[in-house]
Amino acid sequence: MKKDTRERIIKLVQREVVPAIGCTEPMAVALCTAKATEQLGCRPEKIEVCLSANILKNAMGVGIPGTGMIGLPIAIALGALIGKSAYQLEVLKDLTPEALEEGKRYIAEKRISIALKEGICEKLYIEVVCKAGDKEETAVIAGSHTHFVAGDASNYRTADNDSTTDETELNMRLVYDFATTAPLDEIRFIMEARRLNMDAAREAIKGNYGHNLGKTIDRPLSKGIFGNSIFSHIISRTASACDARMGGAMIPVMSNSGSGNQGICATNPVCVYAKENENTEEELIRGLMLSHLTAIYIKQSLGKLSALCGCVVASIGSSCGITYLMGGDYERICYAVKNMIANLTGMICDGAKPSCSLKITSGVSTAMFSALLAMEGKCVTSEEGIVDDCVDKSIHNLTSIGADAMCATDEMVLNIMTSKGDS
């Protein structure tokens, strides 16, 4: 593979695989608030926030790290009070107990308003207006979680400091060739995902986060059902990291394509399998790169936010990585992709929340089944469902459903979420 092609792919991965503290949607709102506050040059007296439906959906029910609180108001308040836009998706990492109390007072003073942004097509859109006296400043994020833009989402232009142009269009063959042949020193950076996301799994053991699904899988009753196996260890370590992240642990995870849960799902199954299968470090590095880059490839046509649960995307990546670690070649990896698409198509995203760990375990379980079936030389055929003979066409069949056909589903999910408790 030519060096310039490798360099573009590395740049793409380094842009899409980044550390994040907490759920990326409320953190992106906090980031946008921090930016508008910095532009204002003083503490805002009022903050007006307008969001796309998908951002609103994903930020409603998730814990905000270090606060013990759920939802957007505290994320916005802290973004204004202590947030630093230079930290990107770790915008609130300077949080202190004193700042938290100040944030609670800020909310109680009713300085924040949150509304749905009407009349936009962009699914990832955040607009924050900060006001103090007769001064007013606006910041807008659109398209991706750290992508500041000028103008509105219907006609925005790339900000001067943005680097999302000249994106390399991927396909499955290019993903595989890059992951398996790139010089090791060029892709070793992906091991930082292992460090952060496996640390998140270990953090979950220290406390009671979310639904404690990861810890539950490790308990004697569960071991009587699942056994003390590679499989049970994979779903436990992956669910644990999600428990901690969704439960508000003040720890960074390595995200993928704007989602921490996708980053966890693309990382932990591969790491656990490689350790217990005694794969070499090189094999782990290449398996992780294959997993993460596959997820990035699928998200290129699906979009950052959609009605399709992100664990479907990331689990396809981890299935590819695990198949590679099992000794699978390109054909077997394509089999794994098709098996995944045949199984998990249609799993809806109903927002970021602690129960995401349940969906992650479903995805990771399917990843293992798909990899095992692929290694037996078996895959779902083009006679069945949306699977095509061409693996890339199969992926685009999946993403067209998630990006286009499930839009009405997305609207219904949001309506249900926002009207709960209405008489």
Side-chain angles (χ1 to χ4, degrees):
M1 184 178 295
K2 293 181 179 178
K3 184 178 180 181
D4 65 330
T5 301
R6 295 200 315 270
E7 288 175 347
R8 287 199 304 272
I9 294 174
I10 289 168
K11 185 178 179 182
L12 172 63
V13 174
Q14 290 176 331
R15 190 174 70 238
E16 298 292 354
V17 181
V18 297
I21 294 177
C23 177
T24 49
E25 278 70 50
M27 289 306 103
V29 177
L31 172 63
C32 198
T33 305
K35 186 72 160 181
T37 301
E38 290 164 1
Q39 292 170 179
L40 188 68
C42 62
R43 173 173 167 160
E45 296 171 2
K46 293 284 185 182
I47 303 175
E48 298 173 358
V49 179
C50 290
L51 306 170
S52 61
N54 288 76
I55 289 287
L56 194 60
K57 178 183 74 173
N58 275 1
M60 287 173 60
V62 69
I64 305 304
T67 69
M69 300 173 70
I70 288 174
L72 281 167
I74 191 62
I76 294 166
L78 294 174
L81 297 173
I82 56 98
K84 291 183 175 63
S85 64
Y87 292 166
Q88 298 284 284
L89 293 178
E90 297 180 279
V91 59
L92 301 184
K93 70 179 181 179
D94 288 343
L95 177 63
T96 63
E98 294 75 19
L100 176 58
E101 291 306 311
E102 189 178 359
K104 291 177 180 177
R105 288 193 295 272
Y106 197 89
I107 294 170
E109 292 165 357
K110 300 189 183 302
R111 298 180 181 274
I112 299 169
S113 65
I114 303 169
L116 183 67
K117 180 72 174 181
E118 302 287 353
I120 60 168
C121 297
E122 177 57 57
K123 291 186 177 182
L124 197 166
Y125 183 85
I126 303 164
E127 179 183 298
V128 177
V129 180
C130 289
K131 300 179 179 181
D134 60 355
K135 292 170 46 178
E136 177 179 308
E137 288 291 340
T138 301
V140 176
I141 286 175
S144 66
H145 293 77
T146 58
H147 180 195
F148 285 100
V149 301
D152 60 36
S154 62
N155 187 30
Y156 68 76
R157 63 178 176 81
T158 303
D160 292 338
N161 64 344
D162 183 69
S163 60
T164 59
T165 56
D166 192 30
E167 182 166 292
T168 298
E169 289 295 327
L170 300 172
N171 57 61
M172 200 63 219
R173 183 82 229 190
L174 182 60
V175 167
Y176 174 82
D177 287 346
F178 174 81
T180 56
T181 66
L184 210 58
D185 286 344
E186 292 183 7
I187 60 174
R188 191 179 298 275
F189 67 87
I190 201 68
M191 289 289 276
E192 182 68 1
R194 176 200 184 199
R195 184 183 72 81
L196 292 181
N197 294 352
M198 293 301 289
D199 280 353
R202 285 185 280 270
E203 176 66 26
I205 306 302
K206 301 176 185 177
N208 292 310
Y209 295 105
H211 296 293
N212 283 317
L213 180 58
K215 291 172 76 171
T216 299
I217 295 167
D218 269 341
R219 288 174 181 153
L221 177 61
S222 299
K223 287 184 178 178
I225 297 170
F226 298 111
N228 189 18
S229 62
I230 296 177
F231 175 72
S232 66
H233 298 164
I234 284 174
I235 58 176
S236 171
R237 303 301 179 267
T238 309
S240 290
C242 179
D243 286 334
R245 175 176 178 264
M246 293 285 95
M250 194 65 179
I251 52 168
V253 301
M254 192 66 83
S255 65
N256 181 296
S257 305
S259 167
N261 282 350
Q262 286 172 195
I264 290 167
C265 204
T267 302
N268 291 26
V270 178
C271 293
V272 175
Y273 185 87
K275 180 180 179 181
E276 303 211 13
N277 193 50
E278 299 183 349
N279 287 99
T280 65
E281 182 183 65
E282 177 175 350
E283 288 168 338
L284 172 57
I285 291 170
R286 296 195 184 282
L288 277 174
M289 182 57 72
L290 178 60
S291 179
H292 276 275
L293 193 54
T294 298
I296 292 168
Y297 165 39
I298 297 171
K299 292 293 283 188
Q300 282 186 333
S301 55
L302 181 62
K304 297 292 184 185
L305 297 175
S306 75
L308 184 69
C309 177
C311 84
V312 174
V313 173
S315 295
I316 293 173
S318 62
S319 189
C320 292
I322 290 169
T323 303
Y324 169 78
L325 294 176
M326 288 177 171
D329 57 8
Y330 177 69
E331 182 180 30
R332 294 296 192 272
I333 286 165
C334 291
Y335 285 0
V337 172
K338 294 179 184 180
N339 292 339
M340 291 294 294
I341 291 171
N343 193 325
L344 285 182
T345 299
M347 183 185 287
I348 65 167
C349 171
D350 54 344
K353 58 209 176 302
S355 60
C356 284
S357 59
L358 291 165
K359 293 189 178 185
I360 276 183
T361 57
S362 297
V364 172
S365 299
T366 303
M368 286 299 300
F369 300 149
S370 297
L372 288 168
L373 194 61
M375 290 305 293
E376 292 292 322
K378 306 288 186 182
C379 84
V380 176
T381 69
S382 59
E383 304 299 318
E384 306 169 68
I386 67 168
V387 172
D388 193 272
D389 287 329
C390 171
V391 67
D392 296 297
K393 179 63 176 173
S394 297
I395 287 171
H396 286 283
N397 289 345
L398 171 70
T399 58
S400 64
I401 290 171
D404 302 320
M406 292 177 71
C407 288
T409 301
D410 216 19
E411 292 176 10
M412 178 61 73
V413 167
L414 182 64
N415 288 339
I416 292 171
M417 292 175 64
T418 55
S419 62
K420 283 188 287 188
D422 294 350
S423 56

